Amino acid sequence: MRDDVSWQEGERPSVAELEERAFELRSKLLHLCGTYEGAVHIGGDLSAADIFTALFHYGLHVDPHDISNPHRDRFLLSKGHAAVCMYIAMSMRGFFSYDGIVETYGQLDSAYGMHPCKVQLPGVEASTGSLGHGLPIAVGMALSGRHRGDAHRVVCLLGDGETGEGSVWEAAMAARSNELGNLVAFVDRNRQLMTSHAEERIAFEPYPDKWRAFGWDVVEIDGHDMAALVKAIDDLPAPDSDRPTVVICETVKGKGVDFMERNLAWHAGSLGAEDLQRALAALEASRQKETV
Amino acid sequence: MPVTFTFGEMLSARSVIGTTLAELGKTHDNLWVLTPDIGATLVEFQETFPDRFVDVGLAEQVCVGIAAGLAYDGNIPVVSGMLPFLSMRALEQIRTDVCYPNLPVKIIGTHGGLVGNGGSTHYAVEDLALMCALTNMTVTSVGDPLMVGEVLRQSMTLPGPIYIRLAVGKKDKVLYEEGQHDVRIGKGIIARDGTDATIFTHGTTVAQALQAAEDLAADGRSVRVVDMFTLKPIDEALIAQCADETGGRFVVLEDHLAYGGLATRIADVVADRGIRLNAFERLGIPQVYAGFGDDEELRDKHGYGLAATVAATRRVIAHPSWASSH
């Protein structure tokens, strides 16, 4: 039973509304980058912004006012360096105050840091940041939910670069072995590591086949196509099915700000006042282009 | 099924783990047992609670990660395996996934020390140094096989993680009579009393320390043996008490690197509290990758066997005291 955390009929936003929220999420993210003096992992935040929007504003059955509800879907951010984008997406769903994030991010005693900490910020599901750790934890949560007979899902967002970590594949094997159809991985396939374009260094391809070989159901979509994200969520197998699903989201690192897109210099950075205006203008231009 | 035993008898600590977990599984419906392919002695739990038993195969990292996920969801996971691999291959999962959020995961395993004749790939000799460095971790090393069950039972109420170290666990001497000692995590046990010196030890070398004390008694020496089975938090009061009561003469004996384990823990307390000692010797594994041989042969070769323990204890007793040398 999940009635107390489920989306109610007609409550879910439309694709157009979700696109609007994704724009707002990117805009708020850029503003934070313009406020905070330190570096923000802006490239991998922007590549995942549509995924965060689709999950927190459409997919996940969660209640921001009842964060311990046992029937809630669990969301694990395995690519922990995208925490700030998650915080903002969650604030827009009502978990936190955006002003609180912007005003305290990265400061002494703030709950909002570069990588999410469950102890300091109970609204997140786990303390993550070291790559390759999220999916194993998600397997444990999925086993627990399955054992209790609960119908919730455990959703884990990974970066594709992160899947170079061997522990991801240990978890992939464990998930299939335990027939965890209540486990869903989203991979932000932005094809960039911190210092390289992935395929130049690491033979990720044939990437979807690697997941298939581990016994997962594989869905491949454009990770910036909100309708495709919504459809992927709608089409997920029932949580009591026996195969885990990976949704491989083809994305662009820095998506929405043309001078950051696929640019290795923008893995992480901060924005001065001028850069901020330039980035916001680029974001607006990108929206106009998409609308046309 | 309750474990029956006789004092002095050889007993398998592994069978105690298996029996205790099966017993605890009945009283704790949120207890899970996970293992990376070291499940032979967990059969009773596995057969009784198949839904709460997970064998991940050879994959220590995901084993600990899954335990963290289970614990986040309100369960009490016990990870049972071989310590060289759990403590090193899965060190980051233990530190970051378990200790950082302070989750009640129990790590229990065998092959602590130069035991089992597996060679240096299979000897956990740095594990206590690594585990003691982790914030929130409780660290234990248990020699008496029956104490293993008691420590496991007590660990159920710990809010955070615990590391429980065993030797091979196939054939261990029952050291204590039932009810002889008040076993409490965080408190050392005076396994044998004495006044001339204290041998602090843990795990598999407790039996050796008791034998050394017995041998020295034949010479009229009165040697105390402390089973310091909890390394963290360390029983500071007992260390101070032993300094007072045994002439400030300490030997620390352990099947672990001589630096980084119990000797280091005790030396830290001595320094921090300004405890004045007359003599301090540490017996443990030097900075070598030990070769093959049976447990006793290896301890003798590397300088912390029975003869070395007796000799070191004689030296600390014979060492001039501050009062006479200054």
Side-chain angles (χ1 to χ4, degrees), chain A residues 19 23 252 255-259 261-262 281-292:
Chain A
E19 286 169 344
F23 176 83
V252 173
K255 175 70 179 179
V257 180
D258 56 4
F259 61 89
E261 289 185 0
R262 297 196 174 89
L283 182 63
E284 182 59 42
S286 152
R287 173 157 70 163
Q288 298 304 331
K289 204 166 107 193
E290 305 259 321
T291 316
V292 174

Side-chain angles (χ1 to χ4, degrees), chain A residues 29 33 40-49 79 81 188 190 192 224 251-255 260-263 266-269:
Chain A
L29 175 72
C33 293
V40 174
H41 288 94
I42 192 164
D45 285 329
L46 289 169
S47 67
K79 52 171 284 181
H81 52 287
D188 178 7
N190 63 31
Q192 278 178 236
H224 301 305
T251 60
V252 173
K253 205 160 172 177
K255 175 70 179 179
M260 293 181 183
E261 289 185 0
R262 297 196 174 89
N263 183 346
W266 284 99
H267 169 77

Side-chain angles (χ1 to χ4, degrees), chain A residues 74 127 130 133 144 148 170, chain B residues 62 72-73 75 92 97 100:
Chain A
R74 292 357 181 224
S127 300
S130 177
H133 287 235
S144 180
R148 283 193 279 108
E170 288 186 14
Chain B
V62 76
Y72 269 123
D73 215 28
N75 299 290
E92 201 198 353
D97 301 345
Y100 179 28

Side-chain angles (χ1 to χ4, degrees), chain A residues 24-26 28-30 32 57 83-93 96 98 101-102:
Chain A
E24 184 187 340
L25 171 58
R26 285 190 168 89
K28 283 179 160 169
L29 175 72
L30 293 175
L32 183 140
H57 295 262
V84 69
C85 196
M86 177 181 71
Y87 302 150
I88 298 172
M90 291 176 78
S91 76
M92 291 166 59
R93 180 76 191 273
F96 318 122
Y98 172 68
I101 299 168
V102 174

Side-chain angles (χ1 to χ4, degrees), chain B residues 53-262:
Chain B
F53 178 82
V54 184
D55 180 352
V56 296
L58 295 163
E60 288 79 13
Q61 297 178 76
V62 76
C63 196
V64 175
I66 290 173
L70 287 166
Y72 269 123
D73 215 28
N75 299 290
I76 301 177
V78 176
V79 176
S80 177
M82 284 176 66
L83 295 179
F85 316 125
L86 286 174
S87 71
M88 293 189 286
R89 182 78 66 95
L91 175 61
E92 201 198 353
Q93 279 76 14
I94 293 174
R95 183 266 196 187
T96 298
D97 301 345
V98 172
C99 291
Y100 179 28
N102 198 23
L103 297 172
V105 173
K106 327 294 170 197
I107 310 279
I108 185 164
T110 58
H111 293 74
L114 302 184
V115 294
N117 204 5
S120 283
T121 54
H122 284 57
Y123 301 143
V125 301
E126 307 90 347
D127 60 321
L128 296 173
L130 298 169
M131 292 301 127
C132 283
L134 303 179
T135 299
N136 290 332
M137 182 63 100
T138 295
V139 181
T140 64
S141 168
V142 185
D144 181 272
L146 285 159
M147 261 176 67
V148 174
E150 183 54 28
V151 170
L152 258 179
R153 274 188 288 276
Q154 289 186 20
S155 77
M156 290 299 121
T157 54
L158 280 181
I162 184 170
Y163 182 81
I164 305 172
R165 181 200 218 227
L166 308 176
V168 173
K170 279 187 175 164
K171 212 174 67 172
D172 308 273
K173 197 170 176 186
V174 175
L175 301 171
Y176 310 128
E177 311 259 10
E178 196 172 14
Q180 185 183 353
H181 299 293
D182 179 19
V183 175
R184 270 184 296 158
I185 293 172
K187 295 288 172 197
I189 290 170
I190 298 177
R192 177 190 175 107
D193 210 354
T195 54
D196 294 337
T198 301
I199 304 174
F200 292 95
T201 186
H202 59 80
T204 184
T205 47
V206 176
Q208 181 181 305
L210 288 168
Q211 185 60 52
E214 185 69 27
D215 292 356
L216 286 159
D219 286 355
R221 300 300 188 185
S222 165
V223 176
R224 177 179 289 185
V225 174
V226 170
D227 180 351
M228 201 64 113
F229 74 95
T230 311
L231 282 86
K232 186 171 174 251
I234 193 84
D235 188 347
E236 295 193 21
L238 183 58
I239 294 167
Q241 183 190 333
C242 290
D244 278 349
E245 295 174 355
T246 67
R249 296 165 196 283
F250 286 0
V251 173
V252 186
L253 165 68
E254 59 190 320
D255 204 358
H256 182 271
L257 291 181
Y259 289 81
L262 179 63

